[in-house]
Amino acid sequence: MNKILIAVFLMAIVTYIPRVAPLAIFKNKIQSRFLTAFLGYVPFAVLGAMIFPDILSSTGHQTSAIVGLVIAVILSYFERSLLLVAVCAIIAVYVCELILAML
Amino acid sequence: MKIDQKKVIGAKNKNLHDFIDGTKQSIPIALGYFPVSFTFGLMAVKGGIPVWIVILISMTNLTSAGQFAGTNLIIAGAGYIEITVTTFIINIRYMLMSLSLSQKLTQGISNIKRGIMAFGVTDETFTVAAMQKKDITFAFMTGLEVLPYIGWAVGTSAGAIVCNLLPETLQNSMSIALYAMFIALVIPAAKKSKAALSVAACAIFLSSILRWIPLFSAISGGWRIIIATVIACTVGAKFFPMQDVQNE
């Protein structure tokens, strides 16, 4: 039990440090246009890299993951809310896995 | 004196307004966190971690990928160093986000306030903050963070408690929720901006190469995200030095 608590504590620290350090250190605007543009693109790059290809191995079968991916992409294209996209993707994967189990 | 009072009240109103604005924009994030943290709760309790510790993990870590990985390692009986280093590597991406966020903050936010805001920086709260057209105030950022924090904790608790009631297929299906949320954040932005689309596409391409080409197989998931992000943003900043994303 104590071992788990220590591990949780360590995880919390190494999660907080990367979040707080840059905010505490960089208090002025960075002048370089290159760096400003670079930092402005971080959200898109991080999201892209986190989604793919990891999404393919997130469910029980790759086929169901692809179905969930396609549903999420279509709904997002039409700018549906985060929750709706998440719930529809779950349902799509669930239905797909049920069908796969019957085959 | 009267003028001063007005100024104070004006500032208070602005703070409240910013806080509420942040809170409103965070509702979809908080709701979207529910299935994801629910899945985390399920997984951790199934792995044999006591319910209260599972909830404690969510309340002290507040991170998807990092705490999933760390908790998996705890369940597998890994050592402190392995758990700490893996969690840290996955979380290094927050440095890029906080650095990016530091450039969007209004001037004169104190260290304590920065310390509080930093706790709630997640992939989603950061992305929503980064896409604002205005500078980010302390009130806005904390408003943006508070509901997702609650959603994350409540979702984890629900998942941890109902753990054994759900069929396994449904549990499997819920793992897609996190990725679906990422998709819902990136696609609308990519639709509006060629630069955002190019950077995201570049990152996806790089991350796929790093994952699938055997030469790079030693690179862990955390490093893969960092390498892909740094290269994609460099390419983006070279070809699209103007940030059309935020200035449209």
Side-chain angles (χ1 to χ4, degrees):
Chain A
M1 180 78 89
N2 274 338
K3 193 177 175 256
I4 299 180
L5 279 178
I6 294 170
V8 171
F9 179 69
L10 292 170
M11 280 161 60
I13 292 177
V14 293
T15 306
Y16 186 60
I17 290 173
R19 282 173 170 160
V20 76
L23 282 179
I25 297 167
F26 292 91
K27 292 196 179 146
N28 296 311
K29 301 272 175 196
I30 293 172
Q31 294 304 324
S32 151
R33 276 184 68 198
F34 178 82
L35 266 184
T36 317
F38 179 97
L39 294 173
Y41 291 132
V42 168
F44 313 110
V46 170
L47 288 173
M50 284 197 301
I51 295 166
F52 204 85
D54 290 8
I55 189 172
L56 298 178
S57 47
S58 67
T59 63
H61 298 264
Q62 203 175 62
T63 320
S64 67
I66 293 171
V67 171
L69 170 70
V70 171
I71 294 289
V73 168
I74 293 171
L75 290 172
S76 307
Y77 187 81
F78 292 104
E79 307 196 14
R80 300 297 142 176
S81 75
L82 295 187
L83 181 68
L84 187 80
V85 175
V87 170
C88 290
I90 292 173
I91 295 172
V93 171
Y94 182 63
V95 171
C96 181
E97 298 217 341
L98 284 183
I99 294 170
L100 284 171
M102 284 189 298
L103 292 178
Chain B
M1 280 298 271
K2 264 187 185 167
I3 297 166
D4 277 349
Q5 239 174 5
K6 253 190 192 166
K7 257 190 188 165
V8 171
I9 293 168
K12 263 192 188 162
N13 276 340
K14 183 175 184 308
N15 280 342
L16 187 64
H17 176 269
D18 277 4
F19 185 85
I20 292 172
D21 183 23
T23 311
K24 274 189 191 155
Q25 295 200 41
S26 78
I27 294 171
I29 303 179
L31 295 173
Y33 275 178
F34 195 86
V36 180
S37 53
F38 189 92
T39 312
F40 173 76
L42 279 179
M43 181 209 90
V45 170
K46 260 172 60 184
I49 298 182
V51 173
W52 71 275
I53 296 187
V54 173
I55 298 168
L56 182 74
I57 295 177
S58 277
M59 296 188 73
T60 53
N61 282 253
L62 185 65
T63 171
S64 49
Q67 80 182 52
F68 269 90
T71 306
N72 267 328
L73 287 173
I74 293 178
I75 293 168
Y80 294 136
I81 296 175
E82 193 184 344
I83 294 170
T84 311
V85 172
T86 307
T87 314
F88 182 64
I89 290 172
I90 293 173
N91 289 330
I92 288 179
R93 70 177 188 284
Y94 288 130
M95 274 195 184
L96 288 169
M97 295 186 205
S98 276
L99 183 57
S100 176
L101 184 66
S102 75
Q103 298 303 301
K104 248 188 106 61
L105 294 183
T106 48
Q107 294 291 313
I109 298 180
S110 72
N111 271 337
I112 294 175
K113 287 183 175 174
R114 284 169 184 260
I116 297 169
M117 287 159 83
F119 185 76
V121 173
T122 66
D123 303 315
E124 295 77 17
T125 58
F126 162 68
T127 313
V128 171
M131 288 173 189
Q132 300 297 311
K133 284 177 186 139
K134 56 188 184 202
D135 278 353
I136 303 298
T137 61
F138 174 70
F140 177 84
M141 199 64 202
T142 40
L144 189 64
E145 290 170 350
V146 75
L147 287 183
Y149 182 68
I150 295 171
W152 192 248
V154 171
T156 305
S157 314
I161 291 161
V162 306
C163 174
N164 295 316
L165 303 177
L166 285 185
E168 193 166 343
T169 332
L170 191 56
Q171 293 176 20
N172 272 342
S173 317
M174 295 191 79
S175 314
I176 197 130
L178 180 68
Y179 298 98
M181 265 175 80
F182 291 156
I183 291 172
L185 283 169
V186 77
I187 288 195
K191 243 175 80 181
K192 289 179 199 116
S193 152
K194 218 176 103 185
L197 177 65
S198 316
V199 170
C202 180
I204 289 173
F205 175 71
L206 290 165
S207 146
S208 305
I209 287 183
L210 292 174
R211 170 75 180 264
W212 283 324
I213 295 193
L215 180 64
F216 303 115
S217 63
I219 297 172
S220 70
W223 281 112
R224 183 153 49 77
I225 290 167
I226 294 160
I227 295 168
T229 300
V230 169
I231 299 177
C233 289
T234 308
V235 172
K238 272 246 184 312
F239 287 95
F240 306 96
M242 295 289 288
Q243 279 177 258
D244 62 342
V245 182
Q246 278 155 32
N247 302 332
E248 63 193 323

